[in-house]
Amino acid sequence: MNKIDLHMHTNHSDGTFTPRELVRHAKEKALTCISVTDHDTMSSFDECADEAKKLGIELIPGIEISAQFEPGTLHILGFFLDPKQPRLRSTLESVQKARGERNPQIIEKLNQLGIEITLKEVVAESGGKQIGRPHFARVLFKKGVVKSMDEAFEKYLGKGKAAYIDKRRLSSRESIQRIREAGGIAVIAHPKQMRLNEKELAAEFERLVGEGLGGIEAYNSCQSREEAGLYKRLAKRFNLLVTGGSDFHGANKPDVELGNLGNGAALDYETVERMKASLGK
Ligand code: AMP
Ligand code: FE
Ligand code: FE
Ligand code: ZN
């Protein structure tokens, strides 16, 4: 059985492992095929690819784009896309800019709540790379403002909480188009986080299929076996590919290990073959 994991983050977004450390960790976990899916950036790709080549691991170019959505969260994974495609690159640059505008606003909100925290501390936590809310959460945790990363999101950083600031996001249509124009397949990440019931989910998938969606991440460490079953049924109904990944973030999600797709679920290499076939590879 091949061990594959198609969802993980480096410190170029909100993971804590460097690209090379992440690929080495994948090797330690005996994974044979991985996709590194940083939020809104592919800047770790070259280093990951170099390390993967050295260690004999297959690396699928990947990304996870945050799209506009209510009431929950809509993240769209892209697989097999070209990191150098100009339109994708310029779109990602504009998304980085929106993050840059959000960060000082989160600091301001936290300060207004009486919490002493500076942007400099968060920048240091991110290692000077793309800042995400988990970096704010870690600073709050290290300072003893909260007792866990979860508490930081529960009280301050989660959607609608005291220090939540929304950032400009791409629409689902734009996200899917950018992925497809760059030669990739678009897949809904962790559908559980959309926070919809079965009927609403089906309607939403139908809409997204109309926008060019190619798959659903039925397996993710945040989804139960029953949930995975539901997503697989919906995938079948809409003729979508099924993928899976751990959503590993290193110390920023301490309970999630690489290769853990939730409740002992496993994916075999056929998943990857199906994706390649759908792209004519
Ligand atoms: P950002 O892209 O900066 O908005 O941050 C989003 C990231 O924060 C997600 O990808 C998760 O890694 C993390 N995150 C969001 N909500 C939560 C939550 N409720 N608990 C823990 N981590 C979360
Ligand atoms: Fe994340
Ligand atoms: Fe996500
Ligand atoms: Zn993720």
Side-chain angles (χ1 to χ4, degrees), residues 3-236:
K3 282 181 75 184
I4 72 179
D5 184 337
L6 304 180
H7 189 158
M8 61 189 74
H9 299 267
T10 73
N11 66 351
H12 284 234
S13 64
D14 56 356
T16 56
F17 284 46
T18 66
R20 289 184 197 280
E21 284 167 354
L22 182 65
V23 177
R24 280 186 219 130
H25 191 48
K27 183 76 185 176
E28 282 162 14
K29 291 279 161 193
L31 300 177
T32 55
C33 176
I34 61 173
S35 186
V36 176
T37 52
D38 277 317
H39 298 287
D40 302 326
T41 178
M42 292 187 80
S43 61
S44 73
F45 180 73
D46 288 346
E47 264 181 75
C48 287
D50 187 60
E51 197 65 26
K53 199 171 163 198
K54 277 189 204 157
L55 300 178
I57 293 181
E58 181 176 358
L59 175 76
I60 297 173
I63 196 166
E64 183 177 15
I65 297 179
S66 304
Q68 290 159 17
F69 192 67
E70 290 296 336
T73 295
L74 177 57
H75 288 175
I76 302 179
L77 294 161
F79 296 115
F80 292 105
L81 66 187
D82 172 10
K84 297 194 171 58
Q85 202 256 5
R87 187 113 185 257
L88 176 70
R89 281 182 89 127
S90 72
T91 301
L92 296 179
E93 273 164 31
S94 80
V95 172
Q96 303 303 327
K97 222 173 121 207
R99 280 185 182 270
E101 286 159 12
R102 178 184 69 164
N103 298 327
Q105 295 178 300
I106 297 180
I107 292 290
E108 203 182 312
K109 279 241 179 173
L110 288 166
N111 290 158
Q112 280 166 5
L113 292 164
I115 296 163
E116 278 181 42
I117 180 172
T118 64
L119 189 56
K120 224 172 138 184
E121 291 169 314
V122 182
V123 171
E125 185 60 44
S126 75
K129 301 205 166 62
Q130 174 177 280
I131 293 173
R133 282 178 285 157
H135 299 114
F136 288 88
R138 265 184 92 72
V139 173
L140 294 175
F141 172 64
K142 284 184 178 171
K143 292 185 140 206
V145 175
V146 291
K147 291 190 191 65
S148 66
M149 300 279 293
D150 278 349
E151 188 187 340
F153 277 94
E154 242 353 272
K155 277 196 174 150
Y156 303 113
L157 302 166
K159 199 163 187 172
K161 305 293 168 157
Y164 180 73
I165 302 275
D166 204 4
K167 62 178 181 298
R168 193 179 59 76
R169 292 162 192 267
L170 300 182
S171 67
S172 54
R173 184 181 292 278
E174 288 170 308
S175 307
I176 293 169
Q177 271 176 358
R178 290 298 90 74
I179 289 167
R180 293 186 55 161
E181 283 165 3
I185 302 176
V187 173
I188 297 300
H190 41 62
K192 179 191 175 88
Q193 293 183 21
M194 292 166 83
R195 289 201 247 141
L196 301 176
N197 65 33
E198 185 169 343
K199 202 169 155 226
E200 294 165 333
L201 206 54
E204 210 43 42
F205 285 164
E206 189 164 14
R207 178 181 73 82
L208 291 162
V209 166
E211 294 181 351
L213 185 71
I216 301 179
E217 187 183 48
Y219 303 105
N220 181 288
S221 56
C222 78
Q223 288 161 190
S224 71
R225 205 174 265 271
E226 292 70 35
E227 285 159 345
L230 166 64
Y231 306 141
K232 271 167 62 177
R233 281 201 304 281
L234 288 170
K236 203 164 177 185

